[in-house]
Amino acid sequence: MVLRGASQHILDEAERSLHDAICVLVQTVKEAYTVCGGGCTEVLMGAAVEREARNVSGKASLAMTAFAQALYQLPTIMADNGGFDSNQLIAELKAAHESGNDTAGLDLYEGRVANMPRMGIRESLRSKRQVLLSATEAAEMILRVDDIIQCAPRQRG
């Protein structure tokens, strides 16, 4: 494969992106399970976490709600990067899921909500799982650091 770019930095980024895409492809071939793309999976997970948060009390409920909101950020960022009104599209996407259309996702070609399996938009389950686990671990590490920072200083004597 030949890559061309205006600068070494652009070439390095293109090579990294190509490498990442090939790695996802290899993992998908090894484990052929896929999930709907276009933000569909994140909205399903976010809604499930929000439902469960209603059954939990205290700070855990707040943390779960914040985690659900974080899941909704991926389709929001996708819509923004596509140059569309993310607030409108995400509202439409959530409404589609609330009405029972569990395969609805973002069609960023047309800037609308569409059926992901019908469009052939799928993502590797293994890749999706790893992204979710990595993000969760990063959030946990940040929370642990906050706990350490919030501790009272030791008494010196």
Side-chain angles (χ1 to χ4, degrees):
M1 191 162 289
V2 177
L3 298 175
R4 295 181 63 174
S7 69
Q8 187 62 41
H9 177 72
I10 291 173
L11 283 173
D12 290 343
E13 284 299 311
E15 182 179 1
R16 184 191 59 78
S17 295
L18 183 61
H19 179 267
D20 290 349
I22 290 171
C23 287
V24 168
L25 183 61
V26 167
Q27 293 305 320
T28 302
V29 169
K30 286 182 180 178
E31 184 180 320
Y33 297 109
T34 60
V35 294
C36 291
C40 174
T41 307
E42 288 79 8
V43 171
L44 285 170
M45 289 187 294
V49 171
E50 280 183 335
R51 275 193 305 275
E52 190 61 32
R54 292 184 201 120
N55 300 326
V56 177
S57 62
K59 290 182 180 180
S61 175
L62 295 174
M64 291 172 74
T65 302
F67 187 76
Q69 292 303 314
L71 288 169
Y72 291 132
Q73 286 302 305
L74 183 74
T76 302
I77 292 167
M78 289 169 50
D80 285 339
N81 288 346
F84 299 105
D85 180 3
S86 61
N87 291 328
Q88 178 67 32
L89 280 177
I90 298 307
E92 291 174 14
L93 182 56
K94 285 182 179 180
H97 279 265
E98 286 293 320
S99 67
N101 186 358
D102 290 341
T103 59
L106 298 179
D107 173 0
L108 295 178
Y109 293 112
E110 303 291 328
R112 62 185 176 87
V113 174
N115 184 299
M116 295 294 100
R118 195 172 303 139
M119 291 186 68
I121 299 176
R122 311 286 296 173
E123 293 183 67
S124 165
L125 173 62
R126 187 172 185 163
S127 175
K128 180 67 69 180
R129 186 183 316 128
Q130 188 57 49
V131 166
L132 187 61
L133 289 173
S134 296
T136 303
E137 288 172 0
E140 287 175 357
M141 284 193 299
I142 291 169
L143 290 174
R144 284 190 194 121
V145 169
D146 284 349
D147 286 343
I148 293 168
I149 291 171
Q150 291 177 3
C151 290
R154 286 189 309 212
Q155 294 295 326
R156 297 178 190 222

